Amino acid sequence: MSQFWSSIVNTLTPYVPGEQPKISNLIKLNTNENPYGPSPKVLEAIKAHTDESLRLYPDPNADEIKDAISAYFTAKGTPVQRDQVFVGNGSDEVLAHTFQALLKQDEPILFPDISYSFYPVYCGLYQVEYKNIPLTDTFEINPKDYRQSNGGIIFPNPNAPTGRLLALEAVEDILKNNSKSVVVVDEAYIDFGGQSAVSLVNQYNNLLVIQTLSKSRSLAGIRLGYAIGHPALIEGLERVKNSFNSYPIDKLAIKATVASFADEVYFEQTCARIVRSRDLLSEQLTAFGFEVIPSSANFVFAKHPEHNAEALALALRDRSIIVRYFNKPNIDQHLRISIGTEDECQALIQALREILTPS
Ligand code: PMP
């Protein structure tokens, strides 16, 4: 069959998502999902709308979601209008449209190395030239390295898989120094620490902020991501979307999203619980001799100077715990551990104790 493939497809290197195991008795700390489940009000909303109306197509513009998101950020102090919001099937789809609509320029775009490993895949898919900018020795993004890009800039904040946060002033520095190109801030993990760049969208028309319901709102299963920015940027994304999939958001996902934004209490309580567990886990890993990067996300990125990361991950797997390990040259020997429930984190610590101090 391979003769039917086009030359472009043959040269693509697809993204490999983290494992979603088929067996259920594992402690799953590998793909940064939320351990606490969606708000009960979200589940009620999904049940309440599971009826014969599902035979109809959803609203192609998902205006209910756009209005809920506008109201949410407006109440938090940043007026956001409906035409400043774009929604997609997970932030991965929003990112795909962003690469195609906004980042395809004559000059290379810039993104950090290390960052989200999907970015080079989109560049390959949409033939976007890129230049990687190394992180500092302490795994930080240095805004001075992002002065005057003509192609565009994208970075996760907090960064993934490091978990390191770039302060809002530094994000603003990048925006000011790149007023002629689009700056995309991928805030998949922002609710676990740090100030969102959404507060800057009315000041900088070159800013696009992308967020997701997969992490802090515990809705990875419904696939809902969104972007906020100047109406002209949003219009670019809408054009690509309407040429690709007119109904990306299904009816139940619309209801679930609206219900999630309406339940601020559950959202804040579960985020705070994850942040407490992350800080405790970071301390405990440090006590075991790990070098732990300060994390503002719902995962920690850590390296043990005396233990190979792959061997550690396999030993944990033998104890029914799955984590990610990295063996690429610039991040070799690092484990990325998603924050689970308090009990899951303590099971991980107990397993590491057995592995690191065999009797
Ligand atoms: N951006 C970053 C930095 C991520 O780590 C992820 C999750 N893999 C995403 C975007 C995509 O998340 P989703 O498609 O679930 O919204």
Side-chain angles (χ1 to χ4, degrees), residues 15 31-32 89-93 95 115-116 118-119 122 156-160 186-189 210-215 219-220 223-226 299 336:
Y15 176 74
T31 51
N32 301 341
N89 204 218
S91 60
D92 277 342
E93 189 183 75
L95 285 166
S115 72
Y116 187 26
F118 221 139
Y119 300 160
Y122 291 129
N157 197 34
N159 199 357
D186 175 356
E187 293 190 338
Y189 303 100
I210 299 180
Q211 298 192 349
T212 176
L213 273 72
S214 298
K215 315 293 179 182
L219 284 168
R223 313 302 302 125
L224 202 294
Y226 55 95
F299 54 84
R336 193 200 64 193

Side-chain angles (χ1 to χ4, degrees), residues 26-184:
L26 293 174
I27 296 184
K28 190 174 177 306
L29 306 178
N30 67 330
T31 51
N32 301 341
E33 287 134 334
N34 192 314
Y36 294 117
S39 149
K41 291 184 181 159
V42 167
L43 302 181
E44 275 164 33
I46 293 173
K47 281 184 201 136
H49 291 90
T50 303
D51 57 28
E52 67 82 38
S53 72
L54 288 177
R55 70 190 178 79
L56 299 172
Y57 282 111
D59 170 10
N61 298 317
D63 280 340
E64 263 185 86
I65 296 186
K66 292 181 184 175
D67 289 347
I69 291 175
S70 311
Y72 178 79
F73 286 102
T74 303
K76 282 188 163 272
T78 303
V80 171
Q81 309 300 320
R82 188 193 274 178
D83 65 356
Q84 289 177 281
V85 184
F86 176 81
V87 289
N89 204 218
S91 60
D92 277 342
E93 189 183 75
V94 179
L95 285 166
H97 293 340
T98 301
F99 275 81
Q100 198 176 16
L102 306 176
L103 292 174
K104 198 172 168 145
Q105 308 289 343
D106 296 336
E107 297 205 28
I109 67 161
L110 310 181
F111 56 82
D113 181 24
I114 312 159
S115 72
Y116 187 26
S117 51
F118 221 139
Y119 300 160
V121 176
Y122 291 129
C123 288
L125 182 60
Y126 298 120
Q127 283 119 56
V128 177
E129 295 287 321
Y130 67 93
K131 191 172 155 210
N132 275 145
I133 309 291
L135 296 177
T136 67
D137 293 345
T138 48
F139 292 97
E140 282 163 288
I141 290 174
N142 183 351
K144 292 198 177 69
D145 295 334
Y146 294 82
R147 297 238 156 121
Q148 285 167 6
S149 120
N150 292 320
I153 294 171
I154 182 165
F155 56 91
N157 197 34
N159 199 357
T162 65
R164 279 217 92 136
L165 181 77
L166 187 65
L168 194 61
E169 303 77 59
V171 174
E172 199 165 1
D173 184 87
I174 293 177
L175 285 161
K176 280 185 187 149
N177 284 294
N178 293 280
S179 56
K180 301 231 167 6
S181 51
V182 178
V183 176
V184 182

Side-chain angles (χ1 to χ4, degrees), residues 290-304:
F290 279 91
E291 294 161 16
V292 185
I293 310 286
S295 173
S296 296
N298 67 337
F299 54 84
V300 291
F301 193 60
K303 165 183 170 168
H304 199 293

Side-chain angles (χ1 to χ4, degrees), residues 277 279-290 292 345-346 349 353:
S277 295
D279 294 346
L280 177 62
L281 185 66
S282 302
E283 277 172 31
Q284 290 175 314
L285 290 174
T286 307
F288 281 163
F290 279 91
V292 185
C345 291
Q346 288 329 298
I349 287 297
R353 189 174 287 122

